[in-house]
């Protein structure tokens, strides 16, 4: 029997020796593992790209699943800038940062701190590296308060912190009032609050001002992961071309908040299409992380092409970023207007370019995904347990590199799915769950 006939994820099934622990995990992930084994829109091999069109086998599809929000992955100015850096530095620095870093790192950190308006910034290869190393250091043996729907990589960082003696308490999703109750009742003086900025599934931002107020009033440090907001949203301005604001300098500036008692974590791997991430923090904390955070001491660095992409990306962001964000906003608005006209539910209330569309019946995810694939539309299938059963559906991400024609094809597919009754209407529950209740 092969992996496809068991519906087990490839690799686990092939061993033929799943332990009891793995069997439990496989049962939890059954929906996802079956989709991964069978579905053309999961674990796909992309054979070719042409703009934001992708070829999977003999099918060309419009891609609405990448996080390249600004289209920097395809930007000719950025691509043209990279060879010069390769000539100067070779392909890869390959020192751990503790041993030495090309001066490009200094340039990136300086420009980043200026863009964000933070005292300083430290870059490491990925946000995952940062969560795993920095959360345990900040929490020490204190108490972490985590948003119930925080990104999995934040949870993983908290698990490491727990193994080193921290306690973990969860507050309800986006509920600053619940956080305040927990903080008020807490006796531990060391308090770290972790939450997402722009949420990777709902596309919404939390009320950052309220979270910042609550954490400051209760002597906690606020740790925000704005992977999806950096490059997309920024400070508000009378000259802004769209409600995303200007400069793409992330959620703290978007809400006109300060960095007092707040550290911002985000990355370049989404809007800037590069493998690099950062923590914006005071210089004193940066100094501490440079001797205590494992990835700075022990991990390999980002490739030179990624560092070059970031530096060239800063230039393009200064020159054309706000125009690209306006295109991104307009594409997103078209999709949200289409859903509103159809009366189809989406959790997106902020207008940012992540639009999740839950299904009327979560059991229909396979066929709905196939229909989208047949119509040439590539999206992220949000299966259980990636999202709770009541939110199973698909996630659309718009980018500035999508064309109007691609957005037309997406809207046409949504209209067809709505007419077939596959999508959840505003105010309606998930059908299978309603029957079970
Ligand atoms: C909110 C959030 N945090 C962290 C990550 C992980 O980022 P990285 O690939 O830089 O580790 C992601 C990736 O999708 C994300 O959406």
């Amino acid at each position: 029997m092969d992996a496809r006939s068991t519906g087990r994820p490839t690799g686990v099934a092939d061993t033929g020796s799943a332990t009891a622990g793995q069997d439990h995990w496989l049962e939890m992930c059954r929906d996802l593992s079956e989709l991964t084994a069978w579905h053309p829109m999961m674990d796909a091999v992309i054979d070719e790209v042409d703009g934001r069109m992708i070829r999977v086998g003999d099918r060309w599809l419009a891609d609405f699943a990448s996080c390249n929000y600004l289209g920097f992955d395809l930007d000719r100015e950025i691509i043209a800038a990279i060879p010069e850096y390769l000539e100067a530095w070779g392909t890869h620095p390959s020192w751990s940062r503790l041993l030495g870093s090309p001066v490009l790192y200094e340039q990136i950190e300086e420009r980043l701190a200026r863009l964000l308006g933070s005292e300083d910034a430290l870059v490491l290869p990925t946000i995952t590296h940062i969560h795993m190393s920095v959360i345990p250091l900040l929490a020490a043996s204190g108490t972490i308060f985590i948003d119930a729907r925080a990104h999995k990589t934040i949870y993983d960082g908290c698990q490491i912190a727990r193994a080193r003696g921290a306690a973990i308490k969860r507050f309800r999703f986006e509920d600053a009032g619940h956080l305040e109750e927990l903080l008020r009742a807490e006796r531990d003086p060391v308090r770290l609050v972790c939450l997402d900025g722009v949420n990777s599934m709902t596309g919404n931002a939390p009320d950052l001002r309220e979270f910042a107020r609550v954490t400051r009033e209760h002597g906690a440090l606020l740790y925000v992961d704005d992977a999806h907001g950096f490059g997309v949203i920024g400070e508000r301005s009378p000259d802004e071309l769209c409600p995303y604001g200007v400069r793409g300098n992330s959620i703290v500036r978007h809400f006109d908040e300060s960095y007092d008692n707040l550290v911002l974590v985000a990355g370049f791997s989404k809007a800037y299409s590069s493998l690099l991430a950062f923590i914006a923090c005071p210089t004193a904390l940066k100094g501490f992380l440079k001797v205590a955070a494992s990835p700075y001491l022990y991990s390999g660095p980002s490739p030179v092409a990624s560092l070059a992409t970031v530096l060239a990306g800063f230039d393009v962001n200064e020159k054309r970023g706000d125009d690209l964000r306006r295109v991104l906003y307009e594409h997103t608005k078209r999709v949200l207007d289409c859903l509103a006209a159809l009366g189809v539910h989406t959790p997106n209330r902020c207008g940012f370019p992540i639009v999740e569309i839950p299904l009327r019946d979560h059991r229909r995810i396979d066929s709905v995904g196939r229909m989208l694939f047949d119509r040439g539309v590539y999206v992220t299938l949000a299966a259980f347990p990636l999202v709770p059963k009541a939110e199973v559906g698909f996630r659309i991400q718009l980018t500035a590199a999508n064309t109007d024609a691609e957005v037309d094809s997406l809207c046409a597919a949504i209209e067809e799915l709505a007419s077939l009754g596959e999508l959840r209407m505003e105010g309606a529950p998930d059908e299978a769950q309603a029957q079970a209740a």
Side-chain angles (χ1 to χ4, degrees):
M1 215 188 276
D2 70 8
R4 286 181 182 257
S5 57
T6 60
R8 288 182 167 190
T10 333
V12 174
D14 288 345
T15 66
S17 61
T19 62
Q22 284 174 344
D23 278 340
H24 170 72
W25 176 81
L26 284 166
E27 191 49 40
M28 274 292 296
C29 298
R30 177 175 295 284
D31 293 5
L32 180 60
S33 63
E34 284 178 5
L35 274 181
T36 305
W38 288 105
H39 207 282
M41 213 142 58
M42 297 289 284
D43 209 14
V45 176
I46 318 287
D47 293 294
E48 201 180 341
V49 300
D50 180 4
R52 199 51 91 228
M53 296 296 289
I54 59 174
R55 182 169 67 77
V56 178
D58 58 2
R59 299 299 310 265
W60 279 97
L61 303 113
D63 177 15
F64 294 102
S66 100
C67 300
N68 292 301
Y69 299 114
L70 295 176
F72 281 5
D73 56 322
L74 303 167
D75 192 283
R76 298 317 310 177
E77 186 177 339
I78 293 176
I79 294 169
I82 293 171
E84 197 184 311
Y85 288 90
L86 296 178
E87 282 302 323
W89 293 98
T91 59
H92 192 54
S94 213
W95 300 288
S96 79
R97 288 213 60 195
L98 180 70
L99 292 184
S101 307
V103 67
L104 308 178
Y105 275 94
E106 298 293 308
Q107 294 164 3
I108 290 171
E109 288 172 352
E110 270 172 39
R111 287 189 73 171
L112 187 56
R114 247 185 289 135
L115 175 65
L116 298 171
S118 60
E119 183 180 322
D120 214 330
L122 177 74
V123 301
L124 289 167
T126 69
I127 298 176
T128 305
H129 281 98
I130 294 176
H131 290 337
M132 302 292 172
S133 57
V134 176
I135 291 176
L137 288 169
L138 294 178
S141 54
T143 301
I144 303 175
F145 299 83
I146 182 171
D147 185 301
R149 297 279 299 274
H151 195 262
K152 176 72 167 66
T153 52
I154 300 183
Y155 267 94
D156 289 347
C158 291
Q159 292 300 337
I160 296 176
R162 172 144 66 189
R164 298 197 196 148
I168 301 179
K169 296 190 172 159
R170 286 201 300 180
F171 57 92
R172 286 189 293 271
F173 181 41
E174 291 182 341
D175 191 339
H178 188 214
L179 171 65
E180 190 158 25
E181 270 173 43
L182 295 179
L183 283 168
R184 206 172 272 135
E186 183 58 57
R187 303 176 70 128
D188 192 336
V190 179
R191 300 136 179 241
L192 179 69
V193 173
C194 296
L195 78 163
D196 286 12
V198 173
N199 185 279
S200 61
M201 291 309 295
T202 65
N204 296 324
D207 183 350
L208 191 72
R209 282 203 194 117
E210 184 57 8
F211 277 104
R213 180 195 67 76
V214 167
T215 48
R216 284 180 195 133
E217 276 184 24
H218 293 274
L221 176 65
L222 182 57
Y223 180 97
V224 183
D225 171 351
D226 198 29
H228 295 269
F230 176 67
V232 174
I233 62 172
E235 64 194 74
R236 307 305 302 264
S237 157
D239 301 329
E240 66 191 23
L241 304 179
C242 74
Y244 293 175
V246 298
R247 303 183 69 208
N249 49 9
S250 198
I251 187 167
V252 177
R253 298 301 299 273
H254 189 71
F255 281 94
D256 198 19
E257 258 304 331
S258 85
Y259 292 93
D260 293 345
N261 274 42
L262 186 158
V263 291
L264 173 72
V265 174
F268 295 92
S269 77
K270 303 197 188 307
Y272 277 65
S273 309
S274 176
L275 186 82
L276 199 65
F278 66 82
I279 171 164
C281 61
T283 307
L285 177 55
K286 175 175 172 174
F288 167 60
L289 296 176
K290 283 172 80 161
V291 291
S294 298
Y296 195 88
L297 276 56
Y298 306 114
S299 297
S302 293
V304 168
S306 289
L307 305 176
T309 304
V310 169
L311 286 166
F314 283 144
D315 292 340
V316 171
N317 184 54
E318 267 172 32
K319 284 186 275 185
R320 291 187 272 119
D322 289 339
D323 293 324
L324 294 168
R325 281 179 277 276
R326 178 174 50 184
V327 173
L328 182 58
Y329 166 74
E330 280 166 2
H331 284 337
T332 307
K333 185 168 184 315
R334 280 191 57 205
V335 175
L336 291 172
D337 286 350
C338 164
L339 294 173
L342 295 166
V344 168
H345 174 65
T346 172
N348 184 312
R349 56 165 200 274
C350 291
F352 301 148
I354 301 171
V355 182
E356 200 211 338
I357 305 186
L359 303 187
R360 184 177 54 79
D361 179 346
H362 69 261
R363 295 166 300 193
R364 299 281 304 156
I365 186 165
D366 185 342
S367 4
V368 168
R370 279 171 202 280
M371 204 209 101
L372 287 166
F373 192 87
D374 288 344
R375 301 297 180 275
V377 171
Y378 201 87
V379 296
T380 302
L381 292 184
F384 180 79
L386 299 178
V387 292
K389 283 212 163 124
E391 287 168 34
V392 163
F394 57 95
R395 177 182 71 172
I396 295 160
Q397 284 158 297
L398 287 304
T399 75
N402 283 116
T403 62
D404 285 335
E406 288 161 13
V407 179
D408 286 344
S409 68
L410 170 64
C411 291
I414 292 172
E415 277 162 21
E416 190 177 345
L417 284 173
S419 72
L420 293 169
E422 296 285 14
L423 307 182
R424 176 111 41 91
M425 303 309 282
E426 209 51 85
D430 170 274
E431 189 159 278
Q433 292 215 314
Q435 280 167 14

